[in-house]
Amino acid sequence: MRILLVEDDPVLGPQVRDALDQAGHAVTLIDDGLAAGERAVQGDFDIVILDRMLPGQDGVEALRDMRRSGVGAPVLMLTARGAVEDRVEGLEAGADDYLVKPFAIVELLARIAALGRRARSPDHDGILVAGNIRLDRTERVVTRSGRAITLHPREFQLLETLMRHCGHVVTRAMLLKAIWRYDFDPQTKIVESHMSRLRAKLDAGFAVVAIETVRGEGYRIRGDA
Amino acid sequence: MGMPRPRVRTAYRVAGLYALSFVIVSLLVGGATWGFASHTLRRSLDQRLVNELTTLVRATAKEGQAGLIGDIVARDSVPGDGGYLLADAGGRRIAGRVGVPTPRPGLSDVMMRSHHGGVEAARAAAVILPGGETLAVVDEADTLDHLEHTLLVIATAGFALVVATGVLGGFFVGRSIHRRVQALDLAARAIIDGDLARRMPRSARDDEFDQLSDTLNRMLDHIGRLMDSLRHVSTDIAHDLRTPLARLRATVETAREAPAAEQRERLDDSLAGIDQVMDLFTTILRISEVERHTVREQFREVSLDAVVRDMAEAYGPAVEDSDRVLLVDAVDGTVLRGDEALIIQALSNLIENAIKHTPPCTRIRVTARRDAGRAVLIVADDGPGIPVHQRAAMLRRFGRGETSRSTPGHGLGLTLAAVVAEVHGAELILGDAAPGLSATIRFPAGPTTGV
């Protein structure tokens, strides 16, 4: 994907750029808020990563400018502060997601991938398929190889979120936010416990494990399960 | 310490101004009373003289000059200071005993020879009769002057008394106020100079000054607690950071020399260590963010029972996996005004605290109910509990029971929960669940069900 990275930190900026480069993205790095709007309009970017605190112009202001100039690309805000008000302000200005610094690069990659998919794929007809697993959102029915699997509502949501990002890693933080709307990181293994129950139900009687754990990153449902 | 003191002390100035206004007001009131009394007395004397003169003139018209002379003689025989005078056009006395020169017509002040030889002030009313004679009625004005004098003396004495009372009273009130303000000032200066244990003086009178002292002392206590906790936080942060940072340093150092296969594992350990430190900072920032109280502007109605049910649902499997039991007791319609995200965070910390510090098989009960119009949140376990003397320290930043220092976690969970309670106008109270620990947040009376 073509990514516009607006980050003024002289160490973090190049590091993130290199990491995104390695992940196969084409990254343009700029360090000034005033220039950000202009570049976003000129270049045809798939995703904009915007730091909240920027010289020249505040990240939120830069974002408003972009949206006013008709930039439709998804925007991921990076905020150093964890303040609730800042997040709300960013989302209201038109950000699609936010990440609080410091963040893990894998988390950033997962969010970018998710935003990219969201931008490209419009909503399905309510049916998600991953390998032999089929999830019907309207009927709230899950089957694997035609065999019905009874899931708890939260397990259903977990599976749905993973299937939306089929073949890609979904991080714990993404799941906490998507399913429980938690902005903090619980010390308890909430996600892991729900996930182990979902897996037990999903894999009962099957030789192939449907959901993989990607160590240090998150979970991924296999497209060929 | 070089703060300039005002030259004219406010207390004395106020007292002086009061005394001055006393003086002015009593001058005005005294003067008006004296003037009015004197005016009234003179008018009544003049009235009497004019009435008598009119009577005599009427009698003359009926009975002629002979009758008038008879009248005058008869009246003069009554003892008294005043008298009558009938003089012809040339000023020669025709009748009457009173010793005055012929007065001019109308009312006038005259000098009268008194019967004991002296001269005294008198008032005369005179008229020119048709025959050219002057008829005058005279009465002494000395009594009047005397009365006026007495009035003046009384007024002056009263005035002096008022002034003295005002000035003395003002002085004493001023001095008393000045002294008490000075005592407060002295205490404040001592505190500025570093005597932080010093408190504002208090008398037995329990008046406004004592109430002010009480308020200031409460403020000083509060500041003292804040400074205390600041001191603790600085030392505790330093302490809690040194350990993970030392480990981190060692890990990174050995990773440099480690064989390539091991390096990745060491680096992962380092990352985990950094995350732990970052987590600590995030929580510290979160606490000070909540303490700023700006979140209050975003308060809306929160359904505590729904929050508790959702949390129990989220934590249920994890609690089960840790071999503990989570029980829920949520009463419908337990609502309050607050910040849902913060309450969720606080409740999550309380539940995690209960999981972390209890042995397996512990039952953890989360309750949301209304009690006398107030929403109440309780997280209780039947674990070992916390000794009474350690409970206050638990709520302090980094305050952890000494026995649990080695377990993971930064020890700020309960502090954050307490701060969340405080921003909602409530208090986090640690109690005995007999057996075990109970953490209770009793929210202030909020909206009633269905609002």
Side-chain angles (χ1 to χ4, degrees):
Chain A
M1 279 187 282
R2 280 151 306 164
I3 298 174
L4 176 63
L5 173 63
V6 191
E7 166 65 67
D8 65 301
D9 189 293
V11 176
L12 191 60
Q15 270 179 357
V16 172
R17 181 193 56 203
D18 294 348
L20 293 175
D21 268 343
Q22 276 194 339
H25 300 294
V27 186
T28 307
L29 172 64
I30 57 171
D31 59 5
D32 188 302
L34 277 172
E38 211 177 311
R39 289 304 294 271
V41 177
Q42 288 168 357
D44 184 18
F45 293 101
D46 296 312
I47 282 182
V48 178
I49 303 173
L50 191 58
D51 189 26
R52 172 76 172 71
M53 304 280 273
L54 285 170
Q57 195 182 23
D58 184 49
V60 174
E61 276 308 311
L63 174 54
R64 287 206 185 99
D65 272 4
M66 286 180 204
R67 290 297 186 229
R68 267 198 295 272
S69 333
V71 174
V75 171
L76 175 72
M77 282 281 247
L78 303 179
T79 87
R81 290 177 276 175
V84 182
E85 300 99 279
D86 280 8
R87 296 175 198 171
V88 173
E89 204 184 2
L91 292 179
E92 275 174 359
D96 297 86
D97 198 0
Y98 58 82
L99 203 51
V100 179
K101 284 185 191 172
F103 50 81
I105 293 290
V106 289
E107 184 76 38
L108 179 67
L109 288 173
R111 299 289 183 97
I112 290 169
L115 280 178
R117 284 192 296 278
R118 197 205 292 176
R120 265 175 285 137
S121 61
D123 206 4
H124 332 256
D125 51 359
I127 309 262
L128 294 167
V129 179
N132 54 9
I133 302 174
R134 191 173 177 280
L135 181 143
D136 187 332
R137 290 171 60 221
T138 37
E139 298 294 324
R140 304 203 76 75
V141 173
V142 175
T143 58
R144 185 166 185 186
S145 299
R147 192 193 302 171
I149 298 169
T150 314
L151 292 181
H152 183 276
R154 224 54 75 210
E155 292 157 5
F156 187 91
Q157 275 175 286
L158 268 180
L159 182 60
E160 182 190 337
T161 310
L162 290 173
M163 288 178 78
R164 277 182 172 283
H165 302 288
C166 181
H168 298 273
V169 173
V170 182
T171 65
R172 278 179 74 231
M174 285 164 80
L175 290 171
L176 281 167
K177 197 156 75 170
I179 293 158
W180 289 282
R181 287 177 292 125
Y182 288 177
D183 266 326
F184 57 94
D185 188 12
Q187 308 281 309
T188 311
K189 299 183 182 309
I190 292 182
V191 177
E192 291 81 344
S193 296
H194 283 275
M195 193 62 79
S196 73
R197 280 156 182 72
L198 170 62
R199 275 174 163 159
K201 291 180 183 175
L202 219 50
D203 292 340
F206 291 91
V208 184
V209 171
I211 301 168
E212 299 176 317
T213 304
V214 184
R215 194 165 167 268
E217 298 188 22
Y219 301 94
R220 177 168 53 199
I221 196 155
R222 298 162 56 122
D224 57 354
Chain B
M1 302 283 290
M3 249 186 284
R5 282 162 183 271
R7 278 172 64 93
V8 183
R9 290 158 178 172
T10 311
Y12 288 126
R13 206 178 53 217
V14 170
L17 280 173
Y18 263 101
L20 187 67
S21 44
F22 255 53
V23 168
I24 291 170
V25 168
S26 44
L27 255 181
L28 287 175
V29 171
T33 312
W34 183 78
F36 179 74
S38 137
H39 178 73
T40 311
L41 286 171
R42 270 184 195 282
R43 261 190 48 185
S44 86
L45 174 62
D46 288 354
Q47 196 63 53
R48 193 154 52 75
L49 293 175
V50 169
N51 283 349
E52 211 161 331
L53 191 63
T54 315
T55 317
L56 285 175
V57 171
R58 276 203 202 115
T60 314
K62 253 192 268 169
E63 298 162 23
Q65 206 191 43
L68 176 60
I69 292 170
D71 262 0
I72 289 172
V73 171
R75 282 172 189 241
D76 264 349
S77 66
V78 179
D81 274 333
Y84 303 84
L85 172 70
L86 182 63
D88 64 15
R92 280 180 298 273
R93 181 181 299 256
I94 301 169
R97 290 188 310 147
V98 70
V100 291
T102 311
R104 55 194 165 76
L107 288 159
S108 59
D109 288 320
V110 292
M111 295 310 289
M112 176 177 75
R113 245 181 295 111
S114 78
H115 54 273
H116 43 75
V119 174
E120 56 184 351
R123 188 83 173 148
V127 71
I128 313 256
L129 295 175
E133 308 91 337
T134 300
L135 172 64
V137 182
V138 182
D139 201 352
E140 53 92 23
D142 211 31
T143 323
L144 197 67
D145 281 352
H146 192 66
L147 208 61
E148 279 176 1
H149 179 72
T150 312
L151 265 174
L152 200 63
V153 167
I154 292 173
T156 310
F159 174 69
L161 213 62
V162 164
V163 170
T165 313
V167 169
L168 280 177
F171 174 74
F172 282 117
V173 169
R175 194 172 63 162
S176 152
I177 292 177
H178 177 73
R179 279 187 177 167
R180 303 194 66 178
V181 170
Q182 206 173 29
L184 293 179
D185 186 59
L186 264 175
R189 277 163 196 275
I191 292 167
I192 292 171
D193 286 345
D195 182 4
L196 298 177
R198 179 83 173 257
R199 289 295 176 262
M200 295 297 165
R202 235 191 146 285
S203 73
R205 271 170 287 196
D206 199 29
D207 54 15
E208 289 91 334
F209 279 100
D210 293 323
Q211 280 163 25
L212 177 64
S213 288
D214 282 350
T215 310
L216 290 175
N217 285 340
R218 276 207 304 278
M219 184 180 86
L220 289 168
D221 289 345
H222 188 64
I223 292 173
R225 274 196 301 276
L226 290 179
M227 288 180 63
D228 246 18
S229 89
L230 196 66
R231 258 195 299 275
H232 279 300
V233 168
S234 320
T235 14
D236 289 347
I237 289 183
H239 180 87
D240 274 37
L241 279 184
R242 201 163 42 189
T243 316
L245 285 179
R247 273 187 214 142
L248 193 56
R249 195 181 185 289
T251 314
V252 174
E253 210 172 3
T254 51
R256 271 208 316 197
E257 312 301 331
E262 253 181 62
Q263 267 185 348
R264 190 177 169 95
E265 198 183 328
R266 298 269 160 96
L267 283 176
D268 281 350
D269 289 349
S270 310
L271 276 180
I274 290 171
D275 284 347
Q276 197 188 331
V277 175
M278 285 301 187
D279 194 38
L280 176 72
F281 273 115
T282 307
T283 312
I284 293 172
L285 284 174
R286 189 98 181 106
I287 287 173
S288 51
E289 185 187 309
V290 175
E291 274 180 336
R292 280 206 310 270
H293 286 195
T294 47
V295 288
R296 281 190 181 152
E297 289 152 29
Q298 265 113 46
F299 272 11
R300 27 185 76 93
E301 190 164 305
V302 178
S303 172
L304 191 61
D305 50 309
V307 167
V308 164
R309 272 185 221 109
D310 284 353
M311 291 291 284
E313 198 264 3
Y315 272 92
V319 174
E320 212 175 288
D321 289 353
S322 74
D323 289 328
R324 289 163 184 81
V325 182
L326 187 63
L327 303 167
V328 181
D329 183 7
V331 178
D332 285 341
T334 307
V335 285
L336 58 97
R337 268 194 79 72
D339 185 309
E340 191 177 69
L342 287 184
I343 292 172
I344 287 174
Q345 169 106 60
L347 179 53
S348 138
N349 288 4
L350 293 177
I351 293 175
E352 286 179 356
N353 192 65
I355 297 172
K356 232 178 287 171
H357 301 296
T358 55
C361 297
T362 302
R363 279 181 303 177
I364 301 163
R365 180 181 290 277
V366 184
T367 308
R369 60 178 161 82
R370 285 185 83 79
D371 182 11
R374 301 167 69 178
V376 183
L377 175 66
I378 306 169
V379 178
D381 63 62
D382 58 2
I386 304 177
V388 179
H389 64 272
Q390 275 186 22
R391 284 179 198 156
M394 292 292 297
L395 299 180
R396 222 183 53 211
R397 278 170 182 69
F398 301 97
R400 273 191 275 169
E402 277 306 314
T403 48
S404 58
R405 272 244 165 234
S406 51
T407 59
H410 40 56
L412 283 172
L414 281 181
T415 310
L416 183 52
V419 171
V420 168
E422 195 222 298
V423 81
H424 283 84
E427 198 189 344
L428 173 65
I429 295 164
L430 298 182
D432 196 346
L437 178 73
S438 75
T440 306
I441 301 176
R442 202 174 289 272
F443 292 93
T448 47
T449 318
V451 172

